[in-house]
Amino acid sequence: MTELATLAGLAISPVRTERFTLVRHVDEAALDPAIVDRFERPSAAAPHLVAVYVDPHELSFSTFENIVPVDRLLPPLELALHDPTQLADGVLRLRLAGSTAALAQLDALGVYVAPLNAASRGGRRMIVHSAQLAGALTDAVRAALPAELLAGFVHVNPVFRCNRFEPGDAPFRLHLDTPYYDRARNHISRHTLLIYMTGGSGTPALQIGELAVEHIEPWTCLVLDQRLAHEGQPFVDGAKVFLRTELIYEDAALAHDPAIGALFAKATYLTGEAVRHPELAHRADEAYDRAAAAHWHGIVASWEREPILHKQFRGVHFFANGYDYWFPRHAHSLEECAALALLDVLNASVGGAAFRAQCTSEPIERPVDREALERELAAYDVARTEPVFAAVDKASLFPAPEPDACCCHLHSRERFDATRSLDILEFFERAQVYCRRRIDPAPILIFGDEVMLDPSRFVIERDRIHVLSQSRLAPVHFAACRWDHEPTRYVDVDYAIGALQPLVPPILFERTPHAHHLMLDFFRNTWTVGHRSYGVPIPYIRTEPVGEGLLPWVRAAVQLMDVDELYPRPSYLPWWARGSMLFYELFAPPYQARSL
């Protein structure tokens, strides 16, 4: 079965298939009403949630997790923390009281899934977002924690991992919690908050250094220093259910080590690659733990043997680990290397399939040896007769219309020709401008199976490559004749072009005798890259109108917008235009006629 739609860049299916094996739970409002009834509703407690299946090969760092909003399901919460007890250095135990019965409803949602790193994490989990729960816990933390733990405290993270272990499940193996980091606000997490919704005994239930916790009472809370490694076993006498989040602090005096960001980037990359190469999963876990420890102690030592992937895409050979990319120097331009690295790290869709799924890849474990890489790259360092990607003339996608003295059926009668009508051509031009605003800034365009580059959007400066992603074009507007046929019914979608506008920091690079070595420092010490990937519907003019209410190009264009709510109509809109964000952009003054 092919996908029914796309959601957050992922193709989705209503059933599990050989390709679509990973379940996600999403709000029904995120799906087209025409297809939503084809998806199962897995939770009686949350009937608005539907189950969709995705292809794990399409995942990237921005889609690893499925976060379910739950505030609408919770009543007002009143929570308090009591009886703080120091169990060990960096471990504080408290008792949660108040609206605990309401919190227990989270477990009743039942939308648990196995984590991507199930081999080391065990059990099942769901990730939920609740500003209400975070607010209630923030107040409780402020009232209960000792002063030394409240210095710089800001709030409780509103993202919660709800973990459920049944007796006999694999354990949650020894690990460090990855600290939260918000570069813009100088926010970091220093302590993990664990809330045990059920009680029971384990062997042990929780191990933190030398501290072994054999029995845990229901609604026990632990505040755990994130410098401490810990592991947990399932309860032997029932389900073990607990929430995990962080205490967020503000610290304006943070130092920065680029090597930590590089290590974290490698960890996330290996997580995605472990879908195809399961043997890399433990190396991803190791990288996360090393990066987490480095936040507190610095990077103690580098890997003796580092996992690297040898990849090949349409005849292009390169080596990658999610931070470092090595390409044959004389075979490819820097712009091509940067585009390939972006497509790989974002796992962008090319021709309807994930980039990584179209690569052959071989994991290699070896001592970090630049000379060995150089020798291997030398075998592929041969100038190509053709470029890897075609250069694109964006203007050629939007040919100028050919106006005539024809305006509408009423005035032209038998001479009416939709492709010459001033009103239709006006709307067509506006549709072209709308599309150009979204295509011109994009450094990478994907047209079916073909990837095209705009070299002008890659600016090479000394040791870095700037990938431009923003552009402003002047809007156009001019007056129209009032007539009985809406121009929107004559403008259809010719074809769709995928536009990738990555919002990324500069890509560092160096040249060696046989290699372009690119360094994609996207996380910047766990700061995450933002990007937009979308399809742009290129318009054409029909000779006959579509049926009433269909408006194919308008519907396709609206899908590019974050919102398309109805608003009061401003006076500059023509009579047939709707009072929505799309038409505001198409007709917003000041205006400039291009060719009419």
Side-chain angles (χ1 to χ4, degrees), residues 137-189:
L137 286 172
T138 296
D139 293 339
V141 164
R142 291 190 188 281
L145 261 59
E148 61 268 21
L149 293 183
L150 291 176
F153 173 69
V154 179
H155 62 83
V156 170
N157 190 344
V159 176
F160 296 82
R161 291 161 178 81
C162 187
N163 296 268
R164 184 181 179 93
F165 289 78
E166 303 294 343
D169 279 350
F172 205 133
R173 299 193 183 279
L174 186 68
H175 66 285
L176 287 166
D177 289 337
T178 298
Y180 169 93
Y181 178 50
D182 184 336
R183 187 184 186 94
R185 296 178 176 84
N186 292 316
H187 284 181
I188 61 169
S189 62

Side-chain angles (χ1 to χ4, degrees), residues 509-531:
F509 76 92
E510 61 178 354
R511 293 184 175 95
T512 69
H514 287 288
H516 288 309
H517 176 200
L518 277 60
M519 291 151 279
L520 277 64
D521 191 13
F522 286 176
F523 290 95
R524 305 294 290 276
N525 204 13
T526 72
W527 171 67
T528 304
V529 62
H531 70 279

Side-chain angles (χ1 to χ4, degrees), residues 66-297:
N66 175 203
I67 302 177
V68 180
V70 297
D71 271 337
R72 66 189 288 184
L73 304 174
L74 295 175
L77 299 174
E78 294 185 5
L79 300 173
L81 292 167
H82 302 287
D83 306 329
T85 303
Q86 194 81 30
L87 297 184
D89 188 22
V91 184
L92 184 68
R93 182 181 65 194
L94 304 101
R95 178 174 56 85
L96 185 68
S99 307
T100 54
L103 282 190
Q105 296 177 18
L106 294 178
D107 181 47
L109 293 179
V111 289
Y112 290 100
V113 297
L116 284 177
N117 47 359
S120 60
R121 293 302 187 251
R124 296 177 299 151
R125 75 177 184 183
M126 59 181 169
I127 303 179
V128 301
H129 182 282
S130 175
Q132 183 186 179
L133 175 56
L137 286 172
T138 296
D139 293 339
V141 164
R142 291 190 188 281
L145 261 59
E148 61 268 21
L149 293 183
L150 291 176
F153 173 69
V154 179
H155 62 83
V156 170
N157 190 344
V159 176
F160 296 82
R161 291 161 178 81
C162 187
N163 296 268
R164 184 181 179 93
F165 289 78
E166 303 294 343
D169 279 350
F172 205 133
R173 299 193 183 279
L174 186 68
H175 66 285
L176 287 166
D177 289 337
T178 298
Y180 169 93
Y181 178 50
D182 184 336
R183 187 184 186 94
R185 296 178 176 84
N186 292 316
H187 284 181
I188 61 169
S189 62
R190 297 187 181 277
H191 295 85
T192 292
L193 176 62
L194 299 175
I195 303 173
Y196 288 88
M197 301 164 67
T198 61
S201 300
T203 56
L206 181 63
Q207 183 81 40
I208 310 170
E210 299 299 320
L211 174 66
V213 181
E214 302 287 344
H215 181 78
I216 298 176
E217 293 290 333
W219 303 111
T220 294
C221 292
L222 293 178
V223 176
L224 174 67
D225 192 311
Q226 291 188 332
R227 291 173 291 186
L228 299 176
H230 52 285
E231 59 185 325
Q233 298 284 341
F235 291 155
V236 298
D237 47 0
K240 181 182 185 180
V241 183
F242 65 93
L243 293 171
R244 175 246 196 249
T245 188
E246 298 93 5
L247 307 186
I248 308 301
Y249 296 80
E250 183 176 7
D251 188 346
L254 294 173
H256 295 278
D257 183 352
I260 301 176
L263 189 54
F264 188 81
K266 296 174 186 179
T268 59
Y269 186 73
L270 293 173
T271 298
E273 289 293 344
V275 173
R276 299 184 66 192
H277 305 286
E279 68 273 19
L280 293 176
H282 79 283
R283 300 295 266 152
D285 291 338
E286 180 186 354
Y288 282 122
D289 283 346
R290 289 167 61 87
H295 285 294
W296 314 113
H297 310 296

